[in-house]
């Protein structure tokens, strides 16, 4: 087992009197900015000219400036704009204003690990990556909890960068849940693999394959939606709370028997071999290169796929069914 760090391990004094620039105010940006502010840290939000998020940040009482000014004042610059935009903003507005001896921070290792951002030698470079979506990083914090974080040091100029990262993780609430030390390489590769093979790509294709199979066999789409998509959350919640055993305790023995005899026919040796290939393409940089080129080409494939996916029957049926679930509308 790896060593986990918690609040009592943090040297909070490393953040005292420091100014943190949060660049970007989206999913992670709003959560880091508000949690740090509520923890007593001085925060400036750096946004581009005409940003729609600026109003939201000001409404929360946060100071908002352009990126260059925020970086120029910062002891820690946390980069929370979309990964594919970071290299350009870094070159134009961050690099020319980074104070020598300050820290440059990230919530994901992509740009550092794949050399899209090459920081100067005279700054600390660390990562604090919450293992959850930004909106939960904020919500769980306000409820007194925290989302677990990974932390990593890429460059240690001042000699205390890991302690600085841990103090930062405490400021956003992550040290309440546990902070695990990793490297930029491992975080980047495992994050990309997890979202592609399991969490996003794997789950959505599994759900659609099940839905399509039922609908093509003549079952009602509404029934297929409940069975394959809606119930997914209920099952995953049980695993989240108590592992697979707790989920299997809660389901019927018939469901548990079906789980054992059928799961391996869905995730076959072929699927496991494909997962290894996917991991290799992440490790050797092919995935990163394709995604960078896709962005340079104005995302032809990404946008076409987004349109196609939105038109899938499961999305049409789901929208209708969810409109009747009043508790979902409040979000
Ligand atoms: P996002 O898309 O939600 O936020 C984008 C923000 O960046 C917006 O506020 C936008 O106004 C701002 N922005 C866009 N272009 C800008 C520019 N040119 N200059 C300044 N600001 C600009 O981003 P996100 O999903 O929060 O991702 C931020 C980072 O956090 C990424 O590195 C991502 O990998 C990482 N991360 C995200 C999540 C998540 O929950 N979404 C989880 C873990 C790590
Ligand atoms: Mg998104
Ligand atoms: Mg992730
Ligand atoms: Mg990711
Ligand atoms: Mg069932
Ligand atoms: Mg059972």
């Amino acid at each position: 087992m790896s060593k986990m760090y918690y609040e009592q391990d943090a040297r909070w004094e490393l953040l005292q009197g420091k100014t943190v620039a949060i660049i970007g105010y989206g999913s992670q940006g709003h959560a880091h900015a508000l949690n740090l502010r509520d923890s007593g840290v001085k925060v400036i939000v750096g946004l581009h000219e005409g940003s729609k998020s600026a109003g939201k940040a000001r409404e929360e009482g946060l100071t908002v400036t352009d990126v260059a000014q925020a970086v120029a004042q910062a002891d820690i610059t946390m980069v929370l704009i979309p990964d594919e935009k970071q290299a350009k903003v870094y070159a134009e507005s961050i690099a020319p204003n980074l104070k020598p001896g300050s820290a440059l921070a990230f919530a994901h290792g992509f740009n550092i690990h794949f050399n899209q951002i090459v920081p100067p030698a005279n700054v600390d470079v660390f990562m604090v990556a919450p293992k959850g979506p930004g909106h939960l990083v904020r919500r769980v914090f306000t409820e007194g909890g925290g989302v677990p974080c990974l932390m990593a040091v890429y460059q240690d100029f001042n000699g205390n960068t890991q302690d600085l990262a841990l103090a930062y993780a405490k400021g956003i609430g992550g040290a309440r849940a546990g902070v695990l030390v990793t490297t930029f390489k491992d975080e980047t590769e495992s994050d990309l693999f997890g979202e592609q093979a399991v969490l996003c790509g794997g789950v959505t294709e599994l759900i659609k394959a099940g839905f399509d199979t039922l609908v093509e066999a003549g079952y009602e789409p509404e029934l297929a939606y409940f069975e394959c998509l809606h119930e997914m959350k209920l099952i995953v919640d049980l695993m989240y709370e108590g592992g697979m055993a707790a989920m299997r305790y809660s389901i019927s023995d018939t469901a548990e028997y079906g789980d054992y005899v059928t799961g391996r026919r869905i995730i076959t040796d072929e699927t496991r071999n494909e997962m290894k290939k996917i991991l290799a393409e992440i490790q050797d940089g092919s995935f990163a290169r394709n995604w960078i080129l896709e962005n340079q080409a104005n995302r032809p494939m990404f946008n076409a796929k987004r349109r196609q996916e939105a038109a899938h029957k499961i999305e049409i049926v789901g929208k209708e069914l969810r409109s009747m679930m009043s508790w979902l509308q409040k979000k």
Side-chain angles (χ1 to χ4, degrees):
M1 295 293 281
S2 309
K3 177 165 169 48
M4 296 292 296
Y5 291 86
Y6 295 95
E7 287 200 302
Q8 66 271 17
D9 304 314
R11 290 175 58 200
W12 184 244
E13 69 275 10
L14 291 176
L15 277 189
Q16 265 157 0
K18 298 281 174 67
T19 299
V20 178
I22 301 291
I23 310 304
Y25 196 75
S27 178
Q28 288 292 324
H30 89 286
H32 290 229
L34 295 172
N35 292 3
L36 285 168
R37 191 270 313 271
D38 291 352
S39 296
V41 178
K42 186 173 174 211
V43 171
I44 311 174
V45 176
L47 288 170
H48 55 306
E49 200 64 39
S51 162
K52 280 180 271 164
S53 315
K56 283 190 237 163
R58 289 203 178 92
E59 271 170 38
E60 292 282 358
L62 291 162
T63 303
V64 180
T65 67
D66 62 29
V67 176
Q69 282 187 56
V71 174
Q73 296 174 62
D75 301 298
I76 299 174
T77 296
M78 173 55 97
V79 184
L80 295 175
I81 61 181
D83 294 305
E84 66 280 4
K85 290 186 180 163
Q86 289 183 8
K88 186 164 180 282
V89 174
Y90 176 80
E92 289 172 359
S93 311
I94 298 177
N97 297 293
L98 264 184
K99 275 197 303 201
S102 71
L104 181 64
F106 298 87
H108 178 42
F110 188 97
N111 284 285
I112 290 287
H113 180 64
F114 292 117
N115 300 110
Q116 301 303 296
I117 291 176
V118 180
N122 62 357
V123 296
D124 297 330
V125 181
F126 71 81
M127 168 170 40
V128 170
K131 288 287 96 182
H135 294 92
L136 282 179
V137 173
R138 178 57 181 162
R139 195 205 303 161
V140 174
F141 178 89
T142 60
E143 292 165 357
V147 167
C149 291
L150 301 182
M151 71 173 167
V153 172
Y154 179 74
Q155 196 165 286
D156 187 9
F157 177 71
N158 285 306
N160 61 2
T161 310
Q162 181 164 308
D163 285 339
L164 188 64
L166 183 57
Y168 186 98
K170 177 174 172 167
I172 63 169
R176 294 172 180 169
V179 181
L180 180 68
V181 178
T182 184
T183 61
F184 273 63
K185 172 185 176 295
D186 286 1
E187 185 277 340
T188 303
E189 292 172 354
S190 61
D191 185 75
L192 292 171
F193 177 79
E195 66 203 16
Q196 292 176 29
V198 182
L199 305 173
C200 307
V203 166
T204 54
E205 285 303 320
L206 180 67
I207 290 173
K208 282 190 295 174
F211 176 89
D212 291 343
T213 302
L214 287 172
V215 172
E216 280 162 26
Y219 297 90
E220 292 302 331
E222 290 81 3
L223 181 152
Y225 176 87
F226 284 137
E227 194 57 44
C228 300
L229 192 150
H230 183 86
E231 234 185 289
M232 178 68 83
K233 174 183 163 39
L234 311 176
I235 292 294
V236 170
D237 279 351
L238 294 169
M239 291 196 278
Y240 174 86
E241 284 157 17
M244 293 186 186
M247 181 276 284
R248 285 170 173 152
Y249 170 78
S250 194
I251 63 179
S252 68
D253 284 359
T254 312
E256 188 174 345
Y257 174 71
D259 167 350
Y260 297 143
V261 297
T262 303
R264 287 299 300 241
R265 295 175 60 191
I266 301 298
I267 306 300
T268 58
D269 287 344
E270 198 188 334
T271 312
R272 286 170 181 261
N273 284 332
E274 201 61 32
M275 282 194 180
K276 292 192 178 84
K277 278 197 236 163
I278 289 160
L279 182 58
E281 287 165 21
I282 290 167
Q283 290 167 329
D284 72 12
S286 322
F287 171 79
R289 182 203 53 209
N290 289 344
W291 176 223
I292 291 160
L293 293 177
E294 174 74 9
N295 278 289
Q296 284 169 5
N298 262 330
R299 301 184 164 198
M301 183 271 184
F302 182 94
N303 289 327
K305 197 72 189 151
R306 203 181 242 183
R307 272 196 305 276
Q308 286 172 358
E309 286 287 302
H312 192 282
K313 194 165 195 171
I314 197 168
E315 293 287 82
I316 313 294
V317 177
K319 195 168 179 216
E320 188 75 28
L321 292 171
R322 287 191 304 273
S323 73
M324 298 306 288
M325 301 179 194
S326 57
W327 61 95
L328 293 181
Q329 308 311 310
K330 278 183 245 136
K331 299 239 179 88

